[in-house]
Amino acid sequence: MKGGKLIVFSAPSGSGKTTIVRHLLEQKELNLEFSISATSRDPRGDEKEGVDYYFMGLAQFKKHMKNDDFLEWEEVYRDNFYGTLRTEVERIWAMGKNVIFDIDVVGGLRIKRKFPEETLAVFVRPPSVEELKIRLKKRKTESEEKINMRIAKASVEMATAPRFDFIIENDDLSIALKEAEDLVATHISKDIPTKIQEEE
Ligand code: 5GP
């Protein structure tokens, strides 16, 4: 596989990374296309098939796992699988665009390991786990139990921040957006060696 650049945004759920990724997608000069993940979970709110995710049942997801169709996959929450299909990155690179990912910390670091030169891996850090809880409650898209599950995972995820290329502190959104724009612009303007790393 070879092509453009890869931009990974990872963070605990509720840290604002999706807002940052959406903002970056609006900056046409960055030439970014969103990597639509596959997931075994059901659609939430007004999420659409083939826009937010490729929604599929667990059986189909496991079939893709068995066929080695994923660049990376994770059981992010119990019984909720998420993964990046190889065909998704190929689709975007074939368009001549750079790929932007909104994925969990483990998946993000895996992409970085597979494509170290091409990938910019950014961790979005929320002000605190307490603030995260407030944001998730405000979002009103998950049950109390699901919110608690996401909060429990957040502390573990926060500990992986130093392994990313950059950390963006998201306590002031407008500053975080500007910082993200600058980081991505610098990364996509970089020349990288033509040698493509072997996949794991
Ligand atoms: P949500 O259910 O809120 O849409 O996503 C839950 C978590 O799964 C988020 O942290 C999101 O970034 C992550 N996620 C989404 N797609 C992928 C993917 O393809 N791979 C991995 N590893 N995580 C993903």
Side-chain angles (χ1 to χ4, degrees), residues 161-173:
R163 293 166 61 195
F164 284 75
D165 296 324
F166 287 98
I167 300 171
I168 290 182
E169 309 280 349
N170 189 13
D171 29 16
D172 180 322
L173 184 62

Side-chain angles (χ1 to χ4, degrees), residues 9-13 17-18 35-39 41 44 47 53 70 72-77 80-85 101-108 110 139 142 150 153 157:
F9 275 82
S10 295
S13 183
K17 73 174 181 305
T18 304
S35 168
I36 304 164
S37 297
T39 183
R41 79 153 166 78
R44 218 169 44 201
E47 287 179 333
Y53 283 106
F70 288 115
E72 62 78 34
W73 64 266
E74 283 301 314
E75 186 177 6
V76 178
Y77 304 106
N80 282 4
F81 288 74
Y82 298 79
T84 307
L85 290 162
F101 301 87
D102 174 345
I103 64 180
D104 92 316
V105 295
V106 182
R110 190 160 287 151
R139 200 159 84 176
E142 282 106 340
R150 282 168 190 252
K153 196 169 156 94
E157 290 169 325

